[in-house]
Amino acid sequence: MTTTEHKSLRGRPKTIRAEKVLEVAIEAYWQNDLADVSVNSICRAAQASKPSVYREFGNEDGLTRAALESYAEQLLSDVSKILQSGQGMNETLDALIDFIITDARLEIGCLFHKMRAGKNRLGPKTRELVEELNRAAQGGYQRFFQDRRSTGDWYGTVSTDVAAKYLGEQIALALAQRASGENATTIREILSLALSVFR
Amino acid sequence: MTTTEHKSLRGRPKTIRAEKVLEVAIEAYWQNDLADVSVNSICRAAQASKPSVYREFGNEDGLTRAALESYAEQLLSDVSKILQSGQGMNETLDALIDFIITDARLEIGCLFHKMRAGKNRLGPKTRELVEELNRAAQGGYQRFFQDRRSTGDWYGTVSTDVAAKYLGEQIALALAQRASGENATTIREILSLALSVFR
DNA sequence: TCATTTTTATACCAGTCAGTATTTTTATAT
DNA sequence: ATATAAAAATACTGACTGGTATAAAAATGA
């Protein structure tokens, strides 16, 4: 909802940097427990007044949604690129594991998965986006398994739906472990073990 | 810390039912998001005055710790019984899966895993207990894998340490899915798939 | 009867929260 | 110049938080 900017001609010129507020918000939600991040603290850190932030984002729900929107935009396409690379099952899984374990933007976990884990504390608009992103991710995973099955690259007994959910949860687990500071090689071993069922 | 009861002879007799307060607290922490449960709400629900609760449990941290203590006591031995049944790998995993998917006390997830997931929001005493329980669980899992390996029942390439962590996380995942209302057969399929790497 | 001890109940404290009313500032249009 | 519009800054609201001061109540001991 940061669209529809009515370039007003009159009145005091806007000085608030919505982009900067979003940056600060993403950083805050990413680094801290969601329940510990308040609109107040974000305003302070971004040096923006509360009324300005509320005019820009409506309410807390709008701010968190905008933050997640901005965050996901940067990251989501990378994963689908890996899944749609057209490589075989083994190569794709290897690339996926590597990405999840080493990408710097996931160093302390993934904001999307963090919000998904604490879904019931989110406002309706943010929650809706979380569910939308989740559906998109699940759909991507499922298409991946359908492709692998149609090319004879995978003969799993489980449905592509369950396989997709499984993959999504194992990725979430690895990211949660990164967030909690677990040893990188241990995370890799656990994720590799989990995904070995597809090889 | 509910021990050392100094059966005082004089003074107004105690009417607060610490047991009832704990019951209410466990129920509240179990059903709701941890951040939504306040000492105030527990006092209201248990019909106990705040000063009485604070005299009994010290502070919020003491209350949450006592609640987790009471909860874990009831449940933890069941899991170790399954792991120490002396049965083979397959039978033990089957029993474990069955327990996690069907036990009524885990219907909406497990309080221990819930607190472990939100560890950084807990007070020091409760957090200490969470870590202690986690170590105990990990130790139990690891001993299980050591036993299976020594009896030639398991030839896994990963270390018993990684296997134990893997098992613990897959159980946590299944319980989180129960907590979020996921379909029981789906949870079972995912957990079975995850643990199939040990068979 | 009356002092002592312990628990209770009530009401309060300071801090934080999300959200907003009010006033001041800064621009443009006439 | 002056009206108007929009945003800014400040300060507020009411609700809730964890925690506590205070005083009344209810028991025992002398």
Side-chain angles (χ1 to χ4, degrees), chain B residues 41-65:
Chain B
S41 66
I42 291 171
C43 291
R44 267 196 304 272
Q47 296 179 89
S49 76
K50 251 166 83 164
S52 297
V53 169
Y54 273 87
R55 190 177 330 96
E56 208 68 25
F57 299 100
N59 56 16
E60 186 176 35
D61 190 18
L63 176 58
T64 55
R65 179 180 166 119

PDB file of all heavy atoms in Angstrom, chain B residues 41-65:
ATOM      1  N   SER B  41      -3.866 -11.840  33.713  1.00  0.00           N
ATOM      2  CA  SER B  41      -4.922 -12.712  33.196  1.00  0.00           C
ATOM      3  C   SER B  41      -4.961 -14.039  33.929  1.00  0.00           C
ATOM      4  O   SER B  41      -6.033 -14.592  34.159  1.00  0.00           O
ATOM      5  CB  SER B  41      -4.715 -12.928  31.690  1.00  0.00           C
ATOM      6  OG  SER B  41      -3.529 -13.655  31.448  1.00  0.00           O
ATOM      7  N   ILE B  42      -3.795 -14.542  34.298  1.00  0.00           N
ATOM      8  CA  ILE B  42      -3.755 -15.804  35.048  1.00  0.00           C
ATOM      9  C   ILE B  42      -4.400 -15.622  36.415  1.00  0.00           C
ATOM     10  O   ILE B  42      -5.181 -16.460  36.867  1.00  0.00           O
ATOM     11  CB  ILE B  42      -2.308 -16.316  35.178  1.00  0.00           C
ATOM     12  CG1 ILE B  42      -1.795 -16.753  33.805  1.00  0.00           C
ATOM     13  CG2 ILE B  42      -2.221 -17.462  36.166  1.00  0.00           C
ATOM     14  CD1 ILE B  42      -0.323 -17.072  33.769  1.00  0.00           C
ATOM     15  N   CYS B  43      -4.069 -14.503  37.078  1.00  0.00           N
ATOM     16  CA  CYS B  43      -4.673 -14.228  38.385  1.00  0.00           C
ATOM     17  C   CYS B  43      -6.191 -14.159  38.274  1.00  0.00           C
ATOM     18  O   CYS B  43      -6.912 -14.741  39.094  1.00  0.00           O
ATOM     19  CB  CYS B  43      -4.132 -12.913  38.949  1.00  0.00           C
ATOM     20  SG  CYS B  43      -2.402 -12.978  39.438  1.00  0.00           S
ATOM     21  N   ARG B  44      -6.665 -13.455  37.273  1.00  0.00           N
ATOM     22  CA  ARG B  44      -8.119 -13.356  37.072  1.00  0.00           C
ATOM     23  C   ARG B  44      -8.724 -14.735  36.900  1.00  0.00           C
ATOM     24  O   ARG B  44      -9.685 -15.104  37.585  1.00  0.00           O
ATOM     25  CB  ARG B  44      -8.410 -12.506  35.833  1.00  0.00           C
ATOM     26  CG  ARG B  44      -8.638 -11.032  36.100  1.00  0.00           C
ATOM     27  CD  ARG B  44      -9.306 -10.350  34.903  1.00  0.00           C
ATOM     28  NE  ARG B  44      -8.546 -10.513  33.671  1.00  0.00           N
ATOM     29  CZ  ARG B  44      -7.567  -9.681  33.289  1.00  0.00           C
ATOM     30  NH1 ARG B  44      -7.240  -8.640  34.043  1.00  0.00           N
ATOM     31  NH2 ARG B  44      -6.907  -9.876  32.163  1.00  0.00           N
ATOM     32  N   ALA B  45      -8.140 -15.515  35.968  1.00  0.00           N
ATOM     33  CA  ALA B  45      -8.716 -16.819  35.638  1.00  0.00           C
ATOM     34  C   ALA B  45      -8.655 -17.784  36.821  1.00  0.00           C
ATOM     35  O   ALA B  45      -9.533 -18.626  36.998  1.00  0.00           O
ATOM     36  CB  ALA B  45      -7.997 -17.417  34.429  1.00  0.00           C
ATOM     37  N   ALA B  46      -7.610 -17.654  37.633  1.00  0.00           N
ATOM     38  CA  ALA B  46      -7.457 -18.568  38.772  1.00  0.00           C
ATOM     39  C   ALA B  46      -8.135 -18.013  40.020  1.00  0.00           C
ATOM     40  O   ALA B  46      -8.122 -18.656  41.066  1.00  0.00           O
ATOM     41  CB  ALA B  46      -5.970 -18.809  39.042  1.00  0.00           C
ATOM     42  N   GLN B  47      -8.698 -16.829  39.915  1.00  0.00           N
ATOM     43  CA  GLN B  47      -9.350 -16.169  41.041  1.00  0.00           C
ATOM     44  C   GLN B  47      -8.410 -16.058  42.233  1.00  0.00           C
ATOM     45  O   GLN B  47      -8.782 -16.346  43.373  1.00  0.00           O
ATOM     46  CB  GLN B  47     -10.632 -16.911  41.427  1.00  0.00           C
ATOM     47  CG  GLN B  47     -11.682 -16.884  40.333  1.00  0.00           C
ATOM     48  CD  GLN B  47     -12.934 -17.654  40.730  1.00  0.00           C
ATOM     49  OE1 GLN B  47     -13.858 -17.098  41.320  1.00  0.00           O
ATOM     50  NE2 GLN B  47     -12.940 -18.932  40.400  1.00  0.00           N
ATOM     51  N   ALA B  48      -7.183 -15.653  41.922  1.00  0.00           N
ATOM     52  CA  ALA B  48      -6.194 -15.438  42.977  1.00  0.00           C
ATOM     53  C   ALA B  48      -5.723 -14.000  42.893  1.00  0.00           C
ATOM     54  O   ALA B  48      -5.650 -13.427  41.802  1.00  0.00           O
ATOM     55  CB  ALA B  48      -5.014 -16.395  42.798  1.00  0.00           C
ATOM     56  N   SER B  49      -5.402 -13.399  44.035  1.00  0.00           N
ATOM     57  CA  SER B  49      -4.929 -12.017  44.004  1.00  0.00           C
ATOM     58  C   SER B  49      -3.473 -11.981  43.569  1.00  0.00           C
ATOM     59  O   SER B  49      -2.717 -12.930  43.777  1.00  0.00           O
ATOM     60  CB  SER B  49      -5.068 -11.390  45.382  1.00  0.00           C
ATOM     61  OG  SER B  49      -4.059 -11.856  46.232  1.00  0.00           O
ATOM     62  N   LYS B  50      -3.108 -10.885  42.952  1.00  0.00           N
ATOM     63  CA  LYS B  50      -1.752 -10.758  42.446  1.00  0.00           C
ATOM     64  C   LYS B  50      -0.689 -10.897  43.530  1.00  0.00           C
ATOM     65  O   LYS B  50       0.268 -11.658  43.342  1.00  0.00           O
ATOM     66  CB  LYS B  50      -1.599  -9.426  41.712  1.00  0.00           C
ATOM     67  CG  LYS B  50      -1.464  -9.597  40.231  1.00  0.00           C
ATOM     68  CD  LYS B  50      -1.653  -8.314  39.478  1.00  0.00           C
ATOM     69  CE  LYS B  50      -0.431  -7.468  39.398  1.00  0.00           C
ATOM     70  NZ  LYS B  50      -0.547  -6.422  38.347  1.00  0.00           N
ATOM     71  N   PRO B  51      -0.831 -10.205  44.647  1.00  0.00           N
ATOM     72  CA  PRO B  51       0.208 -10.348  45.680  1.00  0.00           C
ATOM     73  C   PRO B  51       0.374 -11.792  46.139  1.00  0.00           C
ATOM     74  O   PRO B  51       1.479 -12.246  46.418  1.00  0.00           O
ATOM     75  CB  PRO B  51      -0.302  -9.452  46.814  1.00  0.00           C
ATOM     76  CG  PRO B  51      -1.138  -8.441  46.133  1.00  0.00           C
ATOM     77  CD  PRO B  51      -1.802  -9.155  44.995  1.00  0.00           C
ATOM     78  N   SER B  52      -0.726 -12.536  46.208  1.00  0.00           N
ATOM     79  CA  SER B  52      -0.635 -13.943  46.612  1.00  0.00           C
ATOM     80  C   SER B  52       0.179 -14.741  45.598  1.00  0.00           C
ATOM     81  O   SER B  52       1.042 -15.555  45.970  1.00  0.00           O
ATOM     82  CB  SER B  52      -2.035 -14.551  46.731  1.00  0.00           C
ATOM     83  OG  SER B  52      -2.772 -13.901  47.740  1.00  0.00           O
ATOM     84  N   VAL B  53      -0.100 -14.520  44.345  1.00  0.00           N
ATOM     85  CA  VAL B  53       0.633 -15.236  43.297  1.00  0.00           C
ATOM     86  C   VAL B  53       2.109 -14.867  43.337  1.00  0.00           C
ATOM     87  O   VAL B  53       2.986 -15.728  43.204  1.00  0.00           O
ATOM     88  CB  VAL B  53       0.027 -14.921  41.914  1.00  0.00           C
ATOM     89  CG1 VAL B  53       0.925 -15.429  40.799  1.00  0.00           C
ATOM     90  CG2 VAL B  53      -1.363 -15.530  41.788  1.00  0.00           C
ATOM     91  N   TYR B  54       2.387 -13.587  43.570  1.00  0.00           N
ATOM     92  CA  TYR B  54       3.795 -13.176  43.613  1.00  0.00           C
ATOM     93  C   TYR B  54       4.498 -13.738  44.848  1.00  0.00           C
ATOM     94  O   TYR B  54       5.679 -14.049  44.793  1.00  0.00           O
ATOM     95  CB  TYR B  54       3.911 -11.643  43.559  1.00  0.00           C
ATOM     96  CG  TYR B  54       3.927 -11.137  42.132  1.00  0.00           C
ATOM     97  CD1 TYR B  54       2.747 -10.856  41.453  1.00  0.00           C
ATOM     98  CD2 TYR B  54       5.125 -10.974  41.450  1.00  0.00           C
ATOM     99  CE1 TYR B  54       2.752 -10.413  40.137  1.00  0.00           C
ATOM    100  CE2 TYR B  54       5.141 -10.531  40.133  1.00  0.00           C
ATOM    101  CZ  TYR B  54       3.955 -10.262  39.480  1.00  0.00           C
ATOM    102  OH  TYR B  54       3.983  -9.837  38.178  1.00  0.00           O
ATOM    103  N   ARG B  55       3.784 -13.840  45.977  1.00  0.00           N
ATOM    104  CA  ARG B  55       4.408 -14.447  47.152  1.00  0.00           C
ATOM    105  C   ARG B  55       4.704 -15.921  46.894  1.00  0.00           C
ATOM    106  O   ARG B  55       5.706 -16.467  47.325  1.00  0.00           O
ATOM    107  CB  ARG B  55       3.528 -14.293  48.387  1.00  0.00           C
ATOM    108  CG  ARG B  55       4.282 -14.698  49.652  1.00  0.00           C
ATOM    109  CD  ARG B  55       3.507 -14.501  50.946  1.00  0.00           C
ATOM    110  NE  ARG B  55       2.567 -13.404  50.873  1.00  0.00           N
ATOM    111  CZ  ARG B  55       1.283 -13.563  50.580  1.00  0.00           C
ATOM    112  NH1 ARG B  55       0.799 -14.770  50.356  1.00  0.00           N
ATOM    113  NH2 ARG B  55       0.487 -12.533  50.538  1.00  0.00           N
ATOM    114  N   GLU B  56       3.823 -16.550  46.120  1.00  0.00           N
ATOM    115  CA  GLU B  56       3.953 -17.989  45.879  1.00  0.00           C
ATOM    116  C   GLU B  56       5.058 -18.305  44.861  1.00  0.00           C
ATOM    117  O   GLU B  56       5.802 -19.253  45.030  1.00  0.00           O
ATOM    118  CB  GLU B  56       2.609 -18.526  45.365  1.00  0.00           C
ATOM    119  CG  GLU B  56       2.351 -19.975  45.676  1.00  0.00           C
ATOM    120  CD  GLU B  56       2.152 -20.216  47.161  1.00  0.00           C
ATOM    121  OE1 GLU B  56       1.746 -19.280  47.902  1.00  0.00           O
ATOM    122  OE2 GLU B  56       2.414 -21.347  47.615  1.00  0.00           O
ATOM    123  N   PHE B  57       5.159 -17.485  43.815  1.00  0.00           N
ATOM    124  CA  PHE B  57       6.060 -17.823  42.710  1.00  0.00           C
ATOM    125  C   PHE B  57       7.176 -16.804  42.488  1.00  0.00           C
ATOM    126  O   PHE B  57       7.997 -16.988  41.596  1.00  0.00           O
ATOM    127  CB  PHE B  57       5.251 -17.981  41.415  1.00  0.00           C
ATOM    128  CG  PHE B  57       4.220 -19.081  41.481  1.00  0.00           C
ATOM    129  CD1 PHE B  57       2.884 -18.793  41.713  1.00  0.00           C
ATOM    130  CD2 PHE B  57       4.598 -20.415  41.330  1.00  0.00           C
ATOM    131  CE1 PHE B  57       1.936 -19.797  41.778  1.00  0.00           C
ATOM    132  CE2 PHE B  57       3.647 -21.432  41.400  1.00  0.00           C
ATOM    133  CZ  PHE B  57       2.304 -21.117  41.626  1.00  0.00           C
ATOM    134  N   GLY B  58       7.214 -15.748  43.276  1.00  0.00           N
ATOM    135  CA  GLY B  58       8.297 -14.775  43.168  1.00  0.00           C
ATOM    136  C   GLY B  58       8.051 -13.716  42.121  1.00  0.00           C
ATOM    137  O   GLY B  58       7.873 -12.553  42.428  1.00  0.00           O
ATOM    138  N   ASN B  59       8.039 -14.123  40.871  1.00  0.00           N
ATOM    139  CA  ASN B  59       7.750 -13.199  39.771  1.00  0.00           C
ATOM    140  C   ASN B  59       7.230 -13.991  38.575  1.00  0.00           C
ATOM    141  O   ASN B  59       7.021 -15.204  38.669  1.00  0.00           O
ATOM    142  CB  ASN B  59       8.986 -12.371  39.415  1.00  0.00           C
ATOM    143  CG  ASN B  59      10.177 -13.249  39.080  1.00  0.00           C
ATOM    144  OD1 ASN B  59      10.022 -14.434  38.822  1.00  0.00           O
ATOM    145  ND2 ASN B  59      11.351 -12.669  39.096  1.00  0.00           N
ATOM    146  N   GLU B  60       7.050 -13.298  37.462  1.00  0.00           N
ATOM    147  CA  GLU B  60       6.499 -13.966  36.281  1.00  0.00           C
ATOM    148  C   GLU B  60       7.377 -15.138  35.844  1.00  0.00           C
ATOM    149  O   GLU B  60       6.878 -16.210  35.493  1.00  0.00           O
ATOM    150  CB  GLU B  60       6.364 -12.949  35.135  1.00  0.00           C
ATOM    151  CG  GLU B  60       5.674 -13.519  33.926  1.00  0.00           C
ATOM    152  CD  GLU B  60       5.458 -12.475  32.844  1.00  0.00           C
ATOM    153  OE1 GLU B  60       6.315 -11.590  32.685  1.00  0.00           O
ATOM    154  OE2 GLU B  60       4.420 -12.551  32.172  1.00  0.00           O
ATOM    155  N   ASP B  61       8.670 -14.904  35.876  1.00  0.00           N
ATOM    156  CA  ASP B  61       9.614 -15.948  35.494  1.00  0.00           C
ATOM    157  C   ASP B  61       9.407 -17.202  36.343  1.00  0.00           C
ATOM    158  O   ASP B  61       9.392 -18.329  35.824  1.00  0.00           O
ATOM    159  CB  ASP B  61      11.037 -15.395  35.664  1.00  0.00           C
ATOM    160  CG  ASP B  61      12.097 -16.301  35.084  1.00  0.00           C
ATOM    161  OD1 ASP B  61      11.742 -17.177  34.266  1.00  0.00           O
ATOM    162  OD2 ASP B  61      13.280 -16.125  35.429  1.00  0.00           O
ATOM    163  N   GLY B  62       9.242 -17.019  37.658  1.00  0.00           N
ATOM    164  CA  GLY B  62       9.017 -18.156  38.554  1.00  0.00           C
ATOM    165  C   GLY B  62       7.729 -18.900  38.226  1.00  0.00           C
ATOM    166  O   GLY B  62       7.671 -20.133  38.297  1.00  0.00           O
ATOM    167  N   LEU B  63       6.714 -18.147  37.864  1.00  0.00           N
ATOM    168  CA  LEU B  63       5.426 -18.767  37.526  1.00  0.00           C
ATOM    169  C   LEU B  63       5.523 -19.584  36.240  1.00  0.00           C
ATOM    170  O   LEU B  63       5.073 -20.735  36.183  1.00  0.00           O
ATOM    171  CB  LEU B  63       4.352 -17.683  37.394  1.00  0.00           C
ATOM    172  CG  LEU B  63       2.967 -18.136  36.951  1.00  0.00           C
ATOM    173  CD1 LEU B  63       2.408 -19.181  37.893  1.00  0.00           C
ATOM    174  CD2 LEU B  63       2.014 -16.939  36.864  1.00  0.00           C
ATOM    175  N   THR B  64       6.139 -19.009  35.204  1.00  0.00           N
ATOM    176  CA  THR B  64       6.257 -19.744  33.949  1.00  0.00           C
ATOM    177  C   THR B  64       7.147 -20.968  34.130  1.00  0.00           C
ATOM    178  O   THR B  64       6.861 -22.041  33.600  1.00  0.00           O
ATOM    179  CB  THR B  64       6.840 -18.859  32.827  1.00  0.00           C
ATOM    180  OG1 THR B  64       8.078 -18.308  33.246  1.00  0.00           O
ATOM    181  CG2 THR B  64       5.892 -17.718  32.492  1.00  0.00           C
ATOM    182  N   ARG B  65       8.201 -20.815  34.926  1.00  0.00           N
ATOM    183  CA  ARG B  65       9.067 -21.964  35.158  1.00  0.00           C
ATOM    184  C   ARG B  65       8.313 -23.073  35.878  1.00  0.00           C
ATOM    185  O   ARG B  65       8.400 -24.246  35.519  1.00  0.00           O
ATOM    186  CB  ARG B  65      10.292 -21.562  35.970  1.00  0.00           C
ATOM    187  CG  ARG B  65      11.190 -22.759  36.227  1.00  0.00           C
ATOM    188  CD  ARG B  65      12.437 -22.491  37.030  1.00  0.00           C
ATOM    189  NE  ARG B  65      12.989 -23.773  37.450  1.00  0.00           N
ATOM    190  CZ  ARG B  65      14.195 -24.209  37.099  1.00  0.00           C
ATOM    191  NH1 ARG B  65      14.965 -23.474  36.351  1.00  0.00           N
ATOM    192  NH2 ARG B  65      14.626 -25.388  37.505  1.00  0.00           N
TER     193      ARG B  65
END
